[in-house]
Amino acid sequence: MIYLDNAATTRPCDEAKAGVVKGLETFGNPSSLHSCGLEAELLVRDARQAVADSLSCLPEEVYFTSCATESSNTAIFGAYKSQGKRLHRVVTTTIEHPATARPMDELERLGVEVVRIAPDDNGEITPEAVMAAVNDDTFLVSIMMVNNETGALLPVDKIFSAVHRKFPKIITHCDCVQGYLKFPIKTKTLGADMISVSAHKICGPKGIGALYIRKGLHIPALLMGGGQEKAQRSGTESVPLICGFGEAVKKYSKDISKRLEKARALETKLLELCEKNGGIKLNFTGTKSPYVTSISVDGLKSEVLLHYLEKKDIFVSSGSACSKGKKSGVLAEFGISPADMDTTLRVSIGADTSEDDLIAFEAAICEAQQELARLK
Ligand code: PLP
């Protein structure tokens, strides 16, 4: 099996699986005062420390959530609850994942002025464009690090530092889901007050994510109840998932630069193969993450090709897994034509992708192209 859909989700690593089992066996409630509870509490503490180390922040700045979607909803609605009565504008982009875009739509419905910055002609969101949109009435800037459909790598550190230099009180949030443990992220350098990450994109289990909230920033909770996670996120902690997340984080916090180098070499190989093919176009060639590449295969509809490849045990996405069956508005924002959108495939590499996988992928596309030519 050749799995090239790692931006949708990843295969859990053995360490994460073992972590989940350990968390299941350590069945106490972390809030219980007896030793069963303490054992579970220690596992949660260990995972929290691992996530904190991976972001160079304090463990008390890390809150476990059920997924990055919940993290971003908490960040956005929390910022609104704390500031939205006094201030009225938020600034974001037109290329955000639905986990940010839909809460932004909801803020708009609630009367907030949502300014969405579109990529420029080079497909980039510049600090200048963001600065032109923020003003004294702005309470939140929420911008993603790596776009999940094209791999576009946004200059978020420069954007957030420009925002904070002029408006120190504006809350900044970064969806780092596709950048986490693929690029080194340090909270101080990134300059985001809040960061969303997800375990299932880093070979951890599904159903668990985290939200970093800078110490001192008060963000009202989305879920209220038993007061877990320092009342930031009530609900009994999922010790198995947290434990699995922690083990994946420990594994993939190491050698980020080495893996990035390998990903860049694979991206170069993929681009070479596309060029050699002649019928494959790259949809985004600006500053990007090597882990995600969007291509269009001339004359072959995405879904048809996706299922053709699937029969050969090769798995890719037709765009983003979240836009299943729907045309992606995000690709249009990058200036991709409707015809190219119809033939888009997203190739996203992971920890165990090899050059041979990419060679086999291109060879399978060649076969599909030849079959199509025969039919014509
Ligand atoms: N943000 C980005 C950029 C993503 O790619 C995804 C998942 O596809 C999410 C947020 C949502 O993550 P989760 O599945 O953990 O809710």
Side-chain angles (χ1 to χ4, degrees):
M1 166 187 185
I2 297 177
Y3 185 75
L4 297 171
D5 200 10
N6 290 277
T9 200
T10 54
R11 185 200 299 271
C13 61
D14 290 343
E15 290 83 346
K17 287 191 236 171
V20 171
V21 172
K22 192 172 173 194
L24 281 167
E25 285 166 352
T26 313
F27 67 91
N29 185 324
S31 298
S32 294
L33 294 177
H34 47 65
S35 58
C36 284
L38 179 64
E39 250 184 273
E41 159 71 21
L42 289 177
L43 288 185
V44 173
R45 205 182 291 173
D46 180 59
R48 196 185 312 282
Q49 186 66 54
V51 176
D53 290 346
S54 74
L55 292 168
S56 300
C57 68
L58 300 168
E60 57 265 39
E61 294 176 309
V62 173
Y63 299 90
F64 288 113
T65 61
S66 64
C67 56
T69 300
E70 185 191 322
S71 302
S72 295
N73 272 256
T74 304
I76 294 164
F77 291 119
Y80 171 69
K81 267 203 209 169
S82 87
Q83 305 287 324
K85 284 216 167 63
R86 216 167 40 83
L87 302 169
H88 307 96
R89 179 180 284 197
V90 302
V91 175
T92 184
T93 75
T94 57
I95 58 166
E96 298 297 316
H97 185 274
T100 296
R102 294 297 78 79
M104 288 297 176
D105 294 345
E106 180 61 13
L107 286 196
E108 202 161 45
R109 239 182 35 78
L110 293 168
V112 174
E113 184 194 3
V114 179
V115 181
R116 299 174 181 84
I117 318 272
D120 63 17
D121 291 344
N122 301 318
E124 286 174 8
I125 306 275
T126 62
E128 293 73 28
V130 175
M131 288 312 288
V134 288
N135 63 8
D136 285 333
D137 201 25
T138 306
F139 63 89
L140 173 69
V141 173
S142 178
I143 298 185
M144 73 193 326
M145 181 181 183
V146 173
N147 181 265
N148 48 301
E149 297 193 41
T150 60
L153 177 63
L154 282 70
V156 275
D157 49 350
K158 294 197 178 73
I159 292 173
F160 296 139
S161 75
V163 168
H164 277 153
R165 214 173 303 128
K166 189 151 180 215
F167 301 100
K169 291 208 172 124
I170 290 181
I171 300 170
T172 53
H173 166 246
C174 192
D175 171 346
C176 286
V177 170
Q178 297 290 349
Y180 183 48
L181 303 189
K182 296 189 169 63
F183 295 90
I185 299 175
K186 286 196 161 95
T187 51
K188 291 262 160 20
T189 322
L190 179 62
D193 295 310
M194 291 187 277
I195 294 174
S196 301
V197 296
S198 182
H200 73 104
K201 311 286 186 180
I202 59 145
C203 304
K206 291 170 186 57
I208 185 79
L211 176 64
Y212 156 83
I213 305 179
R214 180 179 53 72
K215 196 175 174 182
L217 176 66
H218 172 66
I219 291 295
L222 210 61
L223 295 190
M224 284 165 250
Q228 291 87 348
E229 297 292 288
K230 292 194 271 125
Q232 187 67 57
R233 201 281 181 183
S234 286
T236 302
E237 299 88 341
S238 174
V239 180
L241 299 180
I242 290 174
C243 204
F245 185 11
E247 293 309 312
V249 169
K250 284 182 210 166
K251 178 169 183 176
Y252 290 104
S253 304
K254 294 185 202 123
D255 300 326
I256 292 181
S257 306
K258 217 160 111 191
R259 280 184 289 112
L260 188 55
E261 220 173 278
K262 182 190 160 204
R264 288 206 170 110
L266 288 171
E267 180 196 36
T268 306
K269 181 72 195 172
L270 178 63
L271 302 193
E272 265 171 39
L273 289 164
C274 293
E275 201 176 319
K276 186 196 86 182
N277 180 286
I280 306 177
K281 188 195 271 179
L282 291 177
N283 284 326
F284 182 76
T285 51
T287 310
K288 71 182 276 296
S289 160
Y291 288 95
V292 181
T293 301
S294 176
I295 61 173
S296 283
V297 185
D298 197 20
L300 283 166
K301 287 236 186 294
S302 311
E303 284 207 22
V304 175
L305 185 51
L306 183 148
H307 292 304
Y308 180 92
L309 293 171
E310 183 185 13
K311 288 204 192 98
K312 296 183 179 294
D313 248 5
I314 301 173
F315 299 86
V316 291
S317 157
S318 61
S320 135
C322 296
S323 54
K324 206 175 191 171
K326 276 189 265 157
K327 272 211 175 142
S328 166
V330 168
L331 291 178
E333 290 297 324
F334 280 99
I336 296 162
S337 72
D340 286 343
M341 267 193 274
D342 280 347
T343 57
T344 293
L345 288 186
R346 178 184 67 180
V347 182
S348 49
I349 61 176
D352 42 40
T353 306
S354 68
E355 240 189 59
D356 285 347
D357 293 342
L358 300 176
I359 292 168
F361 166 68
E362 192 274 332
I365 291 182
C366 260
E367 282 175 37
Q369 288 166 320
Q370 281 157 11
E371 272 187 38
L372 179 76
R374 268 198 302 276
L375 290 174
K376 271 188 178 165

